[in-house]
Amino acid sequence: MALVGSGSAVPATRVSNSDLSARVETSDDWIRSRTGIAARRIAAADEGLTALAARAARACLEQAGWQAEQVDLIVLATSSPDDLFGTAPRVQAALGARNAVAFDLTAACSGFLFALITAGQYLASGSMRRALVIGADQLSRWVDWDDRRTCVLFGDGAAAVAVEACPAEQTGLLGFRMRSDGSRNACLTLAQTDLHTPLLPGVTAQQGGFAPIQMNGQEVYKFAVREVPAILAELLEATGTSPDQLNWLLLHQANQRILDAVAERFAMPSEQVLSNLADYGNTSAATIPLMLDEAVRDGRVQPGHLLASSGFGAGLSWGAALLRWQGPAA
Ligand code: ACO
């Protein structure tokens, strides 16, 4: 598959670290020095995920030069859907992409990379030609705004990439690796609450509902700095790529210290490590395409550039992909 377009959208409301310190006991200095985050965008109460994802997808269609009717597949990576039955069909309808099949994929912060790899399989098999892969999350819905250990980390956003079938020798997905380890699931959860409703005598049903994000920050940090360099090293070796051939490191934006640790492992200069954590915080499934779109639009990422990407987070799940950006047809 060829990566031929990108687009993104973030809510208008910007909440700085100092703004947050009015709500919880924290400070700009604590958040910046521990995470690299300075501000995040927060969706308005009436701004759903569908609208945000559709805005990102429209910008992506425009950059790719595609009409909505030409899209065969929409995969929406999200952990904060408007509808647990699936939000992707709502996005499809909002775009008018009437020929596309649309479904959600849930893998938290690995979601975008897993969705991109999934779409790549449909295109490689020849069963579909054009796909929109969207990463979108509004974790502001699911953080406990009184828990300073988590609420400072996350922000809302959406971004999309347009991928098109192409001859194997021109593929922009040069290799990938995917992993899950559910035995460490408790490190980071947005789990079903234990609510019950009496139904009939002797019959009790579980009531739907989710508890706010729970996280063991230190365990997640250790997981990331151990597994991300390992899976990237494995991928580079399998594809016969040396770090100095890479133009960019495009990692899930969770924490600047994680980005720095991974970069150090591969001796990548900081100028080649893409980061927009300061502006948006951790937007979960959206971070990788949001970062990519910014770097494509400001000209840092050019056609032909090679990017090593890794997504990692709840599940636990993590993955890596070696990507070549093609950009829209001239
Ligand atoms: N402001 C001020 N103090 C705080 C804050 C805050 N926002 N949050 C925690 N503290 C305090 C704690 O209460 C604790 O105080 P105590 O010693 O009096 O008990 C102290 O700071 C140290 O807390 P730790 O949790 O040990 O802080 P740590 O140095 O580990 O930093 C952090 C926390 C930034 C979350 C770090 O563990 C981390 O980055 N982990 C990775 C988690 C992550 O990125 N999660 C995102 C989702 S998963 C993903 O995307 C990969």
Side-chain angles (χ1 to χ4, degrees):
M1 69 175 183
L3 286 78
V4 299
S6 65
S8 58
V10 290
T13 303
R14 180 180 180 276
V15 175
S16 70
N17 292 343
S18 314
D19 293 334
L20 270 186
S21 68
R23 167 88 194 202
V24 286
E25 203 184 321
T26 189
S27 66
D28 180 50
D29 181 55
W30 194 98
I31 302 170
R32 257 182 221 264
S33 60
R34 296 291 211 292
T35 70
I37 298 166
R40 70 286 294 141
R41 300 300 181 93
I42 301 296
D46 59 354
E47 191 177 21
L49 192 83
T50 304
L52 199 60
R55 254 209 297 145
R58 273 189 213 102
C60 181
L61 287 173
E62 193 181 327
Q63 194 189 84
W66 293 359
Q67 300 303 313
E69 301 80 32
Q70 293 178 292
V71 177
D72 302 313
L73 170 68
I74 297 172
V75 188
L76 172 64
T78 188
S79 302
S80 45
D82 285 342
D83 183 337
L84 278 182
F85 284 156
T87 300
R90 295 187 183 201
V91 176
Q92 177 221 13
L95 296 175
R98 58 193 169 82
N99 298 310
V101 61
F103 57 85
D104 292 13
L105 184 151
T106 303
C109 302
S110 306
F112 174 77
L113 216 60
F114 283 15
L116 185 69
I117 293 163
T118 301
Q121 308 314 300
Y122 288 100
L123 302 189
S125 74
S127 54
M128 298 190 184
R129 276 204 61 74
R130 292 189 184 83
L132 273 180
V133 182
I134 309 170
D137 266 310
Q138 291 189 353
L139 289 186
S140 61
R141 291 172 168 179
W142 294 110
V143 291
D144 175 351
W145 286 104
D146 294 318
D147 176 7
R148 68 178 182 175
R149 291 165 303 146
T150 52
C151 75
V152 302
L153 303 175
F154 300 101
D156 300 337
V161 168
V163 287
E164 190 165 40
C166 70
E169 61 278 11
Q170 291 165 21
T171 188
L173 178 61
L174 297 148
F176 64 86
R177 288 283 185 278
M178 299 159 87
R179 296 264 193 288
S180 303
D181 179 5
S183 71
R184 290 188 272 171
N185 179 261
C187 287
L188 184 52
T189 58
L190 200 178
Q192 165 75 30
T193 45
D194 200 17
L195 285 176
H196 299 111
T197 192
L199 197 62
L200 296 166
V203 182
T204 301
Q206 198 177 37
Q207 185 75 51
F210 294 88
I213 293 170
Q214 299 284 323
M215 182 182 76
N216 181 331
Q218 292 191 1
E219 284 305 312
V220 173
Y221 185 85
K222 282 191 264 173
F223 147 73
V225 296
R226 187 168 47 230
E227 303 293 5
V228 176
I231 200 165
L232 279 169
E234 203 183 300
L235 177 66
L236 292 182
E237 195 188 331
T239 54
T241 311
S242 77
D244 59 18
Q245 291 175 279
L246 299 172
N247 297 99
W248 303 104
L249 208 48
L250 172 62
L251 304 181
H252 167 52
Q253 310 278 300
N255 184 315
Q256 189 61 44
R257 290 189 299 156
I258 296 175
L259 302 192
D260 294 344
V262 178
E264 195 182 315
R265 161 70 178 75
F266 296 103
M268 290 281 287
S270 57
E271 311 83 70
Q272 284 174 261
V273 183
L274 294 169
S275 174
N276 60 6
L277 262 167
D279 299 325
Y280 303 114
N282 181 346
T283 55
S284 191
T287 66
I288 292 176
L290 189 62
M291 183 65 254
L292 177 66
D293 185 50
E294 181 180 313
V296 164
R297 285 174 193 266
D298 69 20
R300 274 177 288 173
V301 170
Q302 293 283 325
H305 275 186
L306 196 59
L307 303 100
S309 186
S310 178
F312 48 95
L316 297 178
S317 62
W318 63 108
L322 186 63
L323 305 172
R324 193 179 294 284
W325 174 254
Q326 178 170 318

